[in-house]
Each structure stands twice: as structure tokens, then as C-alpha cells.
Amino acid sequence: MNASRQWLEAFLRRRLDSRDLAARLAMLGAPVDAIEPVGADLRTFVVGLVTAVRQHPDADKLRLTTVDDGSGTLFSVVCGAANVTAGRKYPFARLGTVMPDGMTIEKRKLRGEPSEGMLCSARELGLGEDHDGLLTLDTDAAPGTPLIDVLDVGDERLVIDVTPNRADLLGHKGVARELAASFGVPFRLPEIPGEVALDLPTPTRFGDEAPVGGIRLAIDDRDGCGRFLAAVIRGVSVGASPEWLRRRLVSAGVRSINNVVDATNYIMLELNQPMHAYDAATLRGPSLIARSSRPGERLVTLDGVDRVVPDGTLVIADAERVIGIAGVMGGRDTEVTERTTDIMLECAWFSPVRVRRARRALDLATDAAQRFERGTDRWGAVDAFRRCLRLLVTVAGGALDGSSADCFPVPSHPPRIFLRPARVAQVLGIELAWQEIEKHLVAIGATVLSKPGDGRIAVDVPGWRPDLTAEIDLIEEVARVHGYDRFPTELRASRPGLRVDDAAWAAAGRLRLALAAHGLSEVITLPMVARAGSDAPRVLNPLSADHGLLRDTLLPSLVHEVEANWAMHTANIRLFEVGTGFAAGKHGALPTEALRVAFAVTGDRAPAHWTDGGKPAAWDRWDASGLFERLVDLAHPTAKVHVEGDRWIARLADGSVVGSCGACPADAPPWAAPLFGGEVTVGLDLRQRASFTPLPVFPSIARDLALLLDLSQASAGITGLLAERGRRHGLESVAVIDEYRGKGLPSGKRSITVRLVFRSADRTLTDSEVEQALGRLRTSLERELDVTVRST
Amino acid sequence: MLVSDPCGAPVTAPSDPESLDALRQRLAAVASLELAALDAEEIAVLGRKQGELTHLLKAMATLPLDEKKQRGAALNALKLEFDAAVAARRTELKHGAEARDAREVDLTMPGRATWTGTRHPVTVVMDEIVDIFRELGFVVALGPDIENEERNFGALNFPPDHPALDMHDTLYVDTAGADLPAGERLLLRTHTSPVQVRVMRAGPPPYRVVIPGLAYRNDPFDASHAPAFTQMEGLAVDEGISFVDLKATLSHFARRFFQSDAQVRFRPSYFPFTEPSAEMDVSCALCGGSGCAACKGSGWMEILGCGMVHENVLSNCGVDPERYTGFAFGMGPHRIAMLRYGLADIRLLYGGDMRFLAQFGALGQ
């Protein structure tokens, strides 16, 4: 909503400061996004004094003028306006000035005579439609004075961010009401300059149908049109609006069109009641009907677009055709033009839901639709209608043909709501005297009907507040008018809830800390991707195909980020993400979600150090698998890691896969180090509390065994066997500590060294006990795995 | 008096006070010997075979008992002193050598570093927010990103065909094959508020939860929009919770999260699921409230939306609104991270540029 400060001043009968207004409105729930000086685009224009005028030698309609712009230089300017007079002042555009229509003023020759600037009409300045001649400035200001200081366009436009519940703030009157409450002063409607005295009886009440000025007015869709007012004015002269009216509209950001359209727009901006004027001569029947559209109906709207009207849309029609989308936009065929002499003025209450549906179906956002969608004041419509008629006759002439009609098939009153002061205290946490509650409600225009003898107050809400339908709505109004800043902020005791942190949150936090401690950096990538597995759920209406699927795994997003880093010539990349993986439901089941964690690493394993000559080792597969095993331990401790093909796979006891790790295919530059990545599904509630084992009392004995095995033989099988068989001999741990391939070994063989640590819980083991155990283990290796011991 | 030695060398009798005096002088000199001389002196005095003191001690065996006692005590004391002096001098010399070595090594050469991992700036913001609310008795609740219309809109008091829906451009999820009744259509939640519904439907009050998570909107991906972004909601419902508790709790949060002297203001606002509703602003940290580019000249920064949980929402979730009241709030960690770190383009927060991420340190302060 664009509000003119001067318009608000006219309501409140006092001078206002825009910044103060913005502060007050913010605290009333209507923040001001911007304060724009009206006419800011005129800043570059100055007052020009025409010192001489003579006829152009080669053109009857052009004159050669000399202009003083205060700079000390006199300019020759060719001018086409008949009213240019020596000794008078006009708006002057110097060379280089950009006109409101985007044209830049340049030095040029007109029929051979040089012109160094331009004298302007009101229309050229965007100040109105008057193009009869130059805008004469009746001012004492010296030449060169900025035009904006002279024109008294000194208005400001407040761009108010109105929340969807507040219909009333889309009109100046609604804003003025809020400000009046804030200032504690009364407000009333501004006078209409030069208002014509008009005998204007209250419109005659009808049901669904009424005759008005020889035209049939009818409601054929009560659901869509709750009230339908109309009048016929004959003998209007359509033309330019008076200056004050044009200014009001321009200040509120609306273009002036002609006096009839301007009058309806003025009422819309003032009272939040959109109106529409038809050229009465174009109505066939003649009639004006609010009804639902029928299949296949079309309409060329005011913007010149030929539209198919969706079936069931609330429309305005005459006897033969649709002539407007009710509450959204009128039709071109019945538009008021310069030739129009008789107009039919319509004022209605349209269903917000129906207008919203039409607006969305036609994708046609208009000022009127915005207002009807939020709900206009169906009871205040009569006053708005009468004011509009007065304004129309004042600015466009003409006379009412008979009395106006008011179709109100189901008369109603604004709702009555009961408010309990005790409930106010319960919700707001402060005790307010009922007189204070009453004062706040009266300030918003409500009528308070009873004293709280029975513990409640009856409140008739104003018609312009369709958002007030229940007690809680009034409680909010009480708090709002009382002022949120007047509530205390001391913390009071409260009962804690009985839940514990969601397990996924706790798990995600642990994983983030662990991976960051490992030197990796967290990313949060978009869950919507362009490509994913066949299980990925599809987004029905993505804005871009790049975001058409919900990812099933995280790793491809990390690989994508690695590639982006490579593109920036970053070689050392360590990324991880903790996020959701999605899977479409099978056989009509709903999609599922799982917390996942993924990592991708490439480049140097550690920052370069001078001891390694600036060439640190790169992340290799053993770094990757070690990180993966750590991650499986953290994320899914019940899973076991197996080697499958060239990847490490984490599986649960039932065989289901919960993670995998390996080299990642990627679009890598030639200089890039190998890329490794892994991903694990996070198992929740799997975490076990650490258990304490008493510290060992007796010393351990370590022995290294060098084993000879086939190149293809898995070391895991050997260490597994040793661990199992060694347990009864006091084997505490077994670890591979070296591998050797090459010279000195039989072909097809390799050697690994394992370190075995023995310890007993109840005595110091002797060498001979350990030797005996080693002998048994050696036999097991030879018999069961065909592995021989090279040395001990 | 001469005694015979097993090795045949004549030695001075242990009673010889001259030899003892000489040894005492040599003891005093130990403290200034260099390493080679120290080694030689140790052998000469304490050596197993040739050591002079060793000789004297061995020779004592031939003395009469009372003399043995007297001389033995003196000789043993002298031996202990000598041992100690040699050891002390050896330690002194060793430290001196180390100090000399250290002077030759350039200790200003860089140490061996490891990579510094980082948490995402949005994670850091979220964790800080959660920590503050945890102090106030809140715990973390989560819910799925894919929700149905009923929990995302209907239960939260969004009337069908209401202009409030325009604030939420919704992304729907394809459920081809699933036959879903009205209200059960699946969507990507447009806010984390459906989790409030889940929490309330899971059991009776009191509720005191914060709800971090992603929310989705059908927005373009540009400098100031993203189709998915984090939200942090909160919900507190119990008997006797009022608008005053809302203001107090969130003011406390604001001063803990921003600065202890930050100005906080609450402005009326509108959300379908709360009433009364408010926006909380905090005085701009950059200009202190005088107005700057970061706060668009207003001196205030919008931080969160909040309000008393709408009684229709409580009813829809099976909570008696006449008995229980409560407040809810929601804020955007992505947006707060942009404000805090001065980021002009939200897309940085969705990327993996190491040059960006590395700026947030291990603990991401």
C-alpha cells in the first residue's frame, strides 16, 4: 500500500512527519518499507526564465526562446508551445537531463535553429495529462532553483507492508484511523475541493434484482456477490481530472487516466472500496448482472488481452456477454472513453475466495483484486458509493438518473463477539481494567455494548475488519493498541518439557564434531538435485529442472562441490555433510527419509611441511577406509565393514547395506590427486554407553610374526583367525604392522608382519607360555589357511 | 704401616689423613671438570680396580674393628659425596650440551600442522541458538521434510483459499501410485511448524521444544533466495504461559545471542498459526541503531516471527485452549548467518568452496 503523507494529513488535520509515521505504524503492525519523495524524478529539472521569444524563421508553430537557467549562460531553446511568453518561468530541462519517458535532452537543430534544452509541459514531466502548453510556474524563485522546491510536490509516499489479514490498511482512511489512535486525536474524511451540492438520497434497497436508470441490475450468484450497488449518471464530460485529484493519485503511485476513472480510483485508495464505471451506452439489455461464467465465455480485458474465462468464475455480464471479471478487471468493450456521456457506476461486495480463484486462474493481480481478496466492508459500501457519486459529479459533471439501487439479498450486520477480560489476562499475562480494554477497542472502531457484569463484554466489530471473527482476534487488538512495548519482559518460572533431544539431532552433532576434528569441512548442500538414483522422489513443480529430484544419497552433491573446488584451482579438499536422504515409497507407500553422513577427500593428507620437502603424501585409500570405519563406528556401530570388489561396504547382520566407501569417479583435472568418498546411513538409538574394564594389573608380552601368504589372500582372514584362536591363550590384540612384496619371496607370495600382544588378567605370562601359544597359532595358520611363518 | 694388596701394589694406609685431605680437594675440583677429565677422575677415584677410594675401602678389611668403624664411616661418606658430585657435574655438562644444540637448531621453523576442520556457519548459528534455549528448558524435536497438507497448513490454521497461502509457494512431491485423500497430498514442508503439530499430537503438555530443520519454498536460487533453507522454531505450551513469557523468553534469547545490551522490540504482525502475533527486531549490531546499509537505515534487524499459539492450532492438535496457552517462534539460521558474517549472497552457504569454509575455524566462532 502506497500512502501519501499529505492525504493522511488531510484526514488528521495536522502536519505529519514521515519518519515519525513510519515508527508509529511499525509498532502498530504495519511496517513502512520505504519513504519515497513524490516527484523525486523531477530533481534534475530547474526553474527557467524565458527572457525573449521570437518566431522561428522557417516554422509557423515553433518559437525561438532565450532561457536563463541561473547559470550565467543564456540558452537558445526552440519551443513548440503556444503559451510561451517572455518574462515568465517554466520548468527547464538542461542538456543531459533524462525525461520521465527515458529520453535524454541533447543539443540539436530544429529546422536549422539550435536548441540547447527543453521547456516542459505538465505531461512531459509526468505531472498530468495536460499537454495544452508549458506548465507556467507562478513563483518568485530565481532561475536555476530546483523545480521540486517550487512545485510543492513536497509530498512523500509511504510504502506500507500490509499483512494479509488487514484489509482496511489498503485505504488511507484505515491508515489514518490507526494513526489517530496512536496520536489520540480524532480524524475525518477530507473535503472534496469544489464539491457540488448534490441531493443524494440513500440508495433504494432491493433483493436480487433492481431497476436503476432504465438498466436492470441483478445478482445471479449470491455466493459470489453479496451486495451490488449501482447508479446511472447521464451527461458527464470525460476529460482531465482537476490538479488536486491528479496529485493525490500520483502521490499514491497511481496514474491519472481521466476524471471518471480517477474518481473511482480515488475512492478505492481512500476507503478501500474498489468501484467500476461502465459506459452505460454499451450495456446490452441494458443490464448489469453478477453471475458465474458459463463454459467457453471470453472477454477482452482492459489491458487488451483476449481471455478465456474459466468456467464458474464470478463475472459481471450484460444481457449477452461477460463484460468484466468481478473484482479483478473490467472489459474493454464497456470502458469509459472520451466519447462517453452516460456512465453506470458499480460498487459491490465480492466473495474474497471467488475473487482470489479468478485472480489466480487468470494470473491477473490488480489493485482491486488485492482488496476484494482480503475482504471489503459490505456495510460501509453504501457510504463509499455515495462519496464516489459526489466526487464524480463534482469532477465530471452530469446528473443522477433516478435513484441509485442497492441489491442486498441477504441483509446482515457486522458480527458481535463476546470478550472475557479474564481471558485477556490469561493470554496476555497482564491485568487490564475493562475500561482500558474498551478504550482500545473503541480506537479500532468497534462498539462496546455492555459492562462486564457477567464476566464478558459484547463487542460489535467494525465492518472494515473482516479479520475480526473471534474473541482471540479482539485480544490481539487489545494488545496491539495497548502497545507490545508496554508488556514486561521478566522471565517467570516454567515447567520443563518431558521429552529428550531427538536422537537424530544428537547423532548429527556427534558426527559433525568427529569429522571436523578429523580436518574435514562441513557443507550444507541443497537437497534437490538434477540427477539421482531411481529411488529418488520427484518434485512435482520445481522452478528449475536442476532441482527436480530429492536426493537419495549425499555423496554426488559432495563430488559436485569437489569439482567446483577443482575449477577454482583448489587441490586440497575435505568435505562432509550430514543430511537427509529420501526414497520414494514402493507400491503406493509414502516416501521415506533417513539421516545420512558422507565425506569426500582429495589432495594432501596434511598441510605441507618443510620436513617433507613441501610434498606431503596425498590422501590414499587407507586414509579413506580408516575414516570410513571410524564413521561406521560412530554412525552405525552394529554394522560390519567388508571388502566387496574394490569398495568397502558396511552391512548389518541381516545383510542390508548401510554404507560404502571407495575411489570416486569425478570430472577431475589432470593435476588432481585421487578422490575418495564414503557415505553411511545413520542408525539411531544404536549408541551404547561405554563400559569400563578394570585396568590390567600384569604386564603384556608382544611378539611379531612375519607370515608368508598368497598375493590374493585376505589379511583380514588371517587376523580374524588369530584373534579367535588366540583368545584362549591370552591374546589381547592382533594388528598388521607391515607388508612386504618383492625380492626374496617365492613368486605369487607376499609377506605381512602381525603384532600379537598377550596378557593374562591373573598372572604375569612367562616366555614359555607365550612360545607355546605362538606354536599353536602357527599350526592353525598352516593347517587352516596355508600360511607359513617366515620368522618371529 | 704397609699392607699388601691382592694386586701387589703398595697403598697408603686408610688411616692416612693426607690421602683423605687430597681426596677432599679433588672432590671440590669435580665441579669444574670437563667431560673427559670427569670420566678420568671418576675412574681414578671410584674405579672398581684402580680407584683410590676403592682401594682405601678395600684396605679397611685389615683394620681392627673399632678403627674400621671410624674410618669406614668417613670413607663411605666421602664416596657418597664423590658419587653425587660426579653425577651432578655430568648432568650439568649434559644440559649445557643440549642448550648448545638448541642454539644451533632454528626453532622458528614452522611446526607440523594438521588440517583444521570446520563446522558450517549455519550449523554454528543453529547450535548456539539451541544451546541458549536449552538453558531455558527446551529440548530439540525434529520431523520429516516431506509432510502432508494437513500438518503443513490445515492444522496450523491456514484457511483454504486464503491470501496467507501466497506467502508460501509450495513444492509438492510426486506420489504416483499412492491414493491420497484431500489434505494428505505430500509436499516439502514450507516451514518447520508441522513438527509443532507432531509434538502436540504425541502427548499432553507441557511442551518446551526447539525445532531446527530445513524448510522449502518454490523460490528461484539467487543471491537472496534458495528453494531450501534452515528454520529454527520453538514451542512452549503449558498452563499459565502468556504473552509476557513470550516477550521475556525471546528478549533473553536476543540478548544472549546478540549482545547483552542489544535493544529488542516486538511489533504486531500476522501469522495464521499465532495470535497475537509479533515480529522481534534487534538493534542493528553494526550501527547500534542509528541506521546503516545493513539495517536499511532503520536501525533494527528483523530476527524472528512469534506469537501466542492460535487457539485453533491447539484444538486441532488435541490440546484444550481454555486450559493451556503457549507461544511459538521461528527464525532463519541461514539469514542470521548472513547477517552475522556479512554475506551478500546466500548461495555461498550452499557451496563447498574450501576458501569460504576454511574461514570458520574448528569451532566456527
Side-chain angles (χ1 to χ4, degrees):
Chain A
M1 162 74 181
N2 293 324
S4 149
R5 193 199 71 228
Q6 288 182 344
W7 203 335
L8 295 172
E9 285 173 344
F11 267 100
L12 294 167
R13 307 296 203 274
R14 53 161 59 202
R15 297 282 290 177
L16 300 171
D17 173 72
S18 294
R19 283 187 67 92
D20 175 51
L21 295 186
R24 287 170 187 271
L25 287 170
M27 293 311 289
L28 287 162
V32 172
D33 284 342
I35 299 170
E36 300 168 347
V38 174
D41 43 355
L42 299 180
R43 231 172 240 145
T44 50
F45 294 81
V46 296
V47 174
L49 171 67
V50 173
T51 55
V53 178
R54 59 196 173 89
Q55 187 62 40
H56 190 291
D58 292 329
D60 287 350
K61 290 191 171 172
L62 296 181
R63 284 161 189 80
L64 305 180
T65 67
T66 305
V67 177
D68 174 4
D69 74 340
S71 64
T73 310
L74 295 179
F75 294 96
S76 303
V77 175
V78 180
C79 174
N83 69 339
V84 64
T85 311
R88 308 203 71 155
K89 294 170 186 163
Y90 306 98
F92 180 61
R94 290 168 170 154
L95 292 177
T97 302
V98 178
M99 301 299 290
D101 65 2
M103 187 183 77
T104 304
I105 302 300
E106 290 165 347
K107 184 171 181 173
R108 59 184 182 133
K109 284 192 172 178
L110 287 162
R111 295 274 179 109
E113 293 294 328
S115 186
E116 305 166 307
M118 182 168 144
L119 295 165
C120 308
S121 69
R123 183 156 156 184
E124 283 159 345
L125 294 174
L127 290 177
E129 301 299 297
D130 191 353
H131 199 46
D132 294 343
L134 299 182
L135 176 62
T136 306
L137 300 174
D138 188 14
T139 173
D140 298 332
T145 305
L147 180 65
I148 194 168
D149 295 348
V150 174
L151 271 185
D152 189 29
V153 281
D155 196 1
E156 281 165 316
R157 185 182 296 148
L158 282 68
V159 182
I160 305 176
D161 181 8
V162 180
T163 51
N165 58 324
R166 290 301 295 272
D168 61 316
L169 295 184
L170 295 178
H172 280 75
K173 186 181 181 184
V175 179
R177 182 182 299 112
E178 296 280 302
L179 291 171
S182 172
F183 284 109
V185 299
F187 75 106
R188 60 196 154 94
L189 284 175
E191 275 134 29
I192 295 172
E195 183 172 349
V196 173
L198 189 63
D199 178 26
L200 200 60
T202 306
T204 314
R205 258 312 166 80
F206 293 92
D208 288 308
E209 201 174 328
V212 51
I215 295 171
R216 174 177 171 262
L217 182 70
I219 296 175
D220 269 4
D221 184 336
R222 284 187 181 181
D223 165 64
C225 179
R227 195 165 195 176
F228 207 22
L229 292 137
V232 173
I233 307 175
R234 298 195 187 275
V236 298
S237 49
V238 178
S241 290
E243 175 67 19
W244 71 266
L245 178 53
R246 286 204 311 256
R247 277 230 202 129
R248 281 274 184 270
L249 297 184
V250 167
S251 291
V254 172
R255 199 163 54 94
S256 167
I257 293 169
N258 59 47
N259 46 11
V260 173
V261 175
D262 287 359
T264 59
N265 280 339
Y266 177 90
I267 298 299
M268 175 180 79
L269 295 170
E270 187 177 74
L271 302 177
N272 189 38
Q273 174 64 57
M275 311 250 176
H276 192 75
Y278 301 88
D279 183 335
T282 64
L283 298 179
R284 297 180 192 167
S287 52
L288 192 71
I289 306 157
R291 64 165 169 85
S292 282
S293 65
R294 300 170 190 133
E297 286 188 302
R298 304 183 74 90
L299 171 71
V300 178
T301 41
L302 278 174
D303 54 4
V305 179
D306 185 2
R307 298 170 192 274
V308 176
V309 181
D311 192 15
T313 301
L314 183 66
V315 295
I316 305 300
D318 61 15
E320 297 173 12
R321 61 201 166 140
V322 172
I323 59 170
I325 309 297
V328 181
M329 192 179 271
R332 197 172 57 182
D333 290 350
T334 52
E335 181 183 7
V336 171
T337 67
E338 285 173 16
R339 293 178 304 282
T340 303
T341 56
D342 302 337
I343 59 173
M344 174 105 173
L345 179 70
E346 162 206 294
C347 171
W349 182 89
F350 296 126
S351 147
V353 169
R354 297 288 294 278
V355 172
R356 177 178 159 82
R357 280 186 201 153
R359 189 264 295 168
R360 285 173 74 92
L362 294 167
D363 191 20
L364 195 57
T366 60
D367 288 339
Q370 183 195 20
R371 289 169 167 85
F372 282 120
E373 269 187 51
R374 291 176 184 224
T376 55
D377 181 359
R378 78 176 86 183
W379 302 281
V382 180
D383 287 342
F385 181 64
R386 285 156 61 91
R387 183 162 167 88
C388 192
L389 286 173
R390 284 202 183 86
L391 179 59
L392 264 175
V393 173
T394 302
V395 300
L400 219 56
D401 181 354
S403 74
S404 49
D406 173 7
C407 288
F408 198 10
V410 188
S412 59
H413 298 283
R416 174 169 297 178
I417 300 172
F418 293 96
L419 176 67
R420 296 163 295 170
R423 180 70 173 165
V424 176
Q426 184 190 4
V427 174
L428 298 186
I430 55 171
E431 298 279 347
L432 289 175
W434 81 266
Q435 291 89 340
E436 199 163 7
I437 294 172
E438 180 180 22
K439 192 184 87 186
H440 295 333
L441 293 173
V442 167
I444 62 159
T447 309
V448 179
L449 295 161
S450 60
K451 294 184 179 177
D454 59 349
R456 57 185 203 162
I457 305 170
V459 182
D460 281 353
V461 304
W464 57 82
R465 291 296 302 272
D467 57 315
L468 305 182
T469 60
E471 183 187 39
I472 190 68
D473 302 325
L474 297 182
I475 294 173
E476 176 173 60
E477 288 303 292
V478 169
R480 193 174 67 84
V481 178
H482 186 69
Y484 282 8
D485 48 351
R486 289 171 66 191
F487 286 81
T489 56
E490 93 268 1
L491 279 168
R492 298 173 181 175
S494 60
R495 287 199 288 172
L498 298 173
R499 300 167 61 104
V500 295
D501 272 357
D502 190 289
W505 179 256
R510 281 197 305 277
L511 290 165
R512 287 191 186 106
L513 285 178
L515 287 165
H518 220 92
L520 277 68
S521 286
E522 186 187 12
V523 294
I524 299 178
T525 59
L526 279 181
M528 300 100 119
V529 294
R531 280 180 303 280
S534 55
D535 259 3
R538 214 164 55 80
V539 179
L540 274 180
N541 55 331
L543 263 192
S544 145
D546 286 345
H547 304 142
L549 294 169
L550 291 166
R551 61 181 173 187
D552 48 352
T553 57
L554 312 185
L555 190 52
S557 302
L558 295 187
V559 171
H560 181 80
E561 293 305 328
V562 167
E563 289 167 347
N565 270 295
W566 279 333
M568 303 312 291
H569 302 281
T570 301
N572 297 323
I573 309 158
R574 303 162 308 281
L575 301 176
F576 76 92
E577 180 164 14
V578 181
T580 302
F582 300 85
K586 292 200 173 62
H587 314 299
L590 301 182
T592 55
E593 297 174 30
L595 186 68
R596 303 175 76 97
V597 54
F599 69 89
V601 290
T602 177
D604 298 342
R605 180 192 287 161
H609 191 249
W610 52 274
T611 51
D612 50 39
K615 293 194 186 87
W619 288 91
D620 63 18
R621 56 168 65 90
W622 309 116
D623 294 314
S625 73
L627 186 52
F628 179 63
E629 285 180 8
R630 170 93 186 98
L631 207 53
V632 171
D633 259 0
L634 281 167
H636 225 127
T638 53
K640 291 268 184 300
V641 176
H642 308 266
V643 173
E644 298 180 15
D646 58 354
R647 299 187 65 76
W648 292 273
I649 307 291
R651 285 184 189 272
L652 299 181
D654 67 2
S656 55
V657 173
V658 294
S660 82
C661 171
C664 283
D667 187 6
W671 46 262
L675 171 65
F676 298 95
E679 179 157 353
V680 182
T681 307
V682 181
L684 303 174
D685 303 322
L686 295 175
R687 201 161 164 250
Q688 288 163 352
R689 188 171 298 222
S691 58
F692 168 71
T693 315
L695 302 182
V697 177
F698 298 97
S700 63
I701 294 178
R703 289 282 190 277
D704 292 350
L705 288 181
L707 307 174
L708 195 63
L709 58 155
D710 284 350
L711 282 177
S712 62
Q713 197 161 7
S715 66
I718 295 167
T719 48
L721 182 89
L722 287 171
E724 204 214 312
R725 295 284 190 278
R727 204 175 300 139
R728 83 177 80 113
H729 303 298
L731 180 65
E732 189 178 71
S733 69
V734 52
V736 178
I737 59 164
D738 196 12
E739 183 187 43
Y740 178 73
R741 292 166 190 246
K743 273 202 287 186
L745 295 182
S747 77
K749 295 281 184 184
R750 69 192 225 265
S751 169
I752 62 171
T753 305
V754 293
R755 177 163 295 165
L756 306 173
V757 177
F758 295 87
R759 193 200 300 272
S760 165
D762 49 23
R763 66 186 191 285
T764 299
L765 290 176
T766 61
D767 279 354
S768 66
E769 282 175 307
V770 170
E771 290 307 325
Q772 198 178 359
L774 283 174
R776 295 243 168 87
L777 292 173
R778 198 169 172 156
T779 311
S780 291
L781 287 173
E782 280 165 9
R783 279 195 194 149
E784 296 178 46
L785 296 174
D786 195 21
V787 167
T788 54
V789 176
R790 285 173 66 214
S791 67
T792 54
Chain B
M1 179 173 66
L2 289 170
V3 292
S4 69
D5 176 75
C7 302
V11 295
T12 319
S15 57
D16 181 356
E18 274 178 37
S19 60
L20 275 183
D21 284 348
L23 281 171
R24 284 203 181 91
Q25 278 170 24
R26 289 168 71 176
L27 170 64
V30 162
S32 56
L33 295 175
E34 286 308 313
L35 190 58
L38 182 68
D39 288 345
E41 182 71 354
E42 188 178 14
I43 291 167
V45 176
L46 300 169
R48 264 199 215 167
K49 292 178 179 170
Q50 307 290 327
E52 287 179 34
L53 199 46
T54 314
H55 269 288
L56 291 177
L57 282 164
K58 280 179 183 167
M60 272 199 322
T62 59
L63 293 180
L65 191 62
D66 58 335
E67 208 171 331
K68 199 190 276 184
K69 270 184 187 169
Q70 199 185 348
R71 300 289 173 222
L75 282 172
N76 273 317
L78 187 61
K79 181 184 185 309
L80 288 176
E81 277 183 67
F82 231 105
D83 276 341
V86 167
R89 178 58 182 162
R90 205 175 286 287
T91 306
E92 197 180 298
L93 286 170
K94 185 170 166 242
H95 284 170
E98 275 173 5
R100 236 183 356 267
D101 282 352
R103 275 194 295 277
E104 284 159 16
V105 171
D106 178 3
L107 295 182
T108 67
M109 292 287 273
R112 195 172 282 123
T114 56
W115 294 120
T116 303
T118 56
R119 286 185 305 153
H120 196 270
V122 171
T123 298
V124 171
V125 166
M126 291 210 286
D127 284 354
E128 277 185 39
I129 296 170
V130 167
D131 286 350
I132 294 168
F133 282 104
R134 217 189 279 289
E135 293 167 8
L136 297 167
F138 288 74
V139 297
V140 175
L142 301 178
D145 292 13
I146 298 177
E147 271 291 1
N148 68 18
E149 285 178 314
E150 197 272 334
R151 278 186 296 268
N152 194 77
F153 292 126
L156 292 165
N157 199 39
F158 280 80
D161 281 314
H162 191 269
L165 289 171
D166 290 350
M167 301 193 291
H168 293 240
D169 280 323
T170 310
L171 289 165
Y172 285 88
V173 176
D174 189 3
T175 44
D179 187 21
L180 300 172
E184 297 291 310
R185 274 202 302 169
L186 293 190
L187 45 78
L188 284 161
R189 62 183 182 191
T190 59
H191 43 191
T192 44
S193 311
V195 184
Q196 293 186 17
V197 178
R198 289 175 176 273
V199 167
M200 288 194 272
R201 286 178 178 170
Y207 313 120
R208 236 172 144 73
V209 292
V210 280
I211 304 159
L214 282 175
Y216 300 77
R217 301 277 168 90
N218 199 355
D219 278 332
F221 194 29
D222 59 28
S224 46
H225 299 86
F229 50 89
T230 50
Q231 272 200 344
M232 179 78 73
E233 294 240 342
L235 174 73
V237 174
D238 199 356
E239 290 174 12
I241 292 192
S242 73
F243 192 72
V244 170
D245 297 300
L246 174 154
K247 262 194 84 173
T249 306
L250 297 178
S251 299
H252 174 79
F253 160 73
R255 286 191 292 264
R256 284 276 283 101
F257 187 81
F258 297 97
Q259 308 123 266
S260 56
D261 60 346
Q263 295 291 305
V264 181
R265 77 172 182 184
F266 289 79
R267 292 182 285 111
S269 189
Y270 168 77
F271 307 104
F273 35 90
T274 52
E275 187 160 23
S277 299
E279 295 267 1
M280 186 182 82
D281 299 339
V282 173
S283 53
C284 177
L286 289 177
C287 63
S290 58
C292 67
C295 58
K296 292 183 200 145
S298 70
W300 296 96
M301 293 196 297
E302 285 181 36
I303 298 303
L304 56 78
C306 55
M308 298 301 291
V309 181
H310 199 289
E311 47 193 35
N312 293 351
V313 174
L314 293 175
S315 301
N316 291 341
C317 298
V319 176
D320 177 5
E322 286 291 320
R323 179 174 169 198
Y324 295 105
T325 47
F327 63 85
F329 55 89
M331 62 190 113
H334 265 90
R335 221 180 63 76
I336 292 173
M338 288 178 77
L339 287 175
R340 171 187 279 196
Y341 300 110
L343 309 179
D345 191 332
I346 197 172
R347 285 170 295 196
L348 272 176
L349 291 172
Y350 294 87
D353 193 323
M354 292 300 293
R355 299 168 305 174
F356 171 73
L357 299 172
Q359 295 181 27
F360 297 96
L363 294 172
Q365 298 309 310

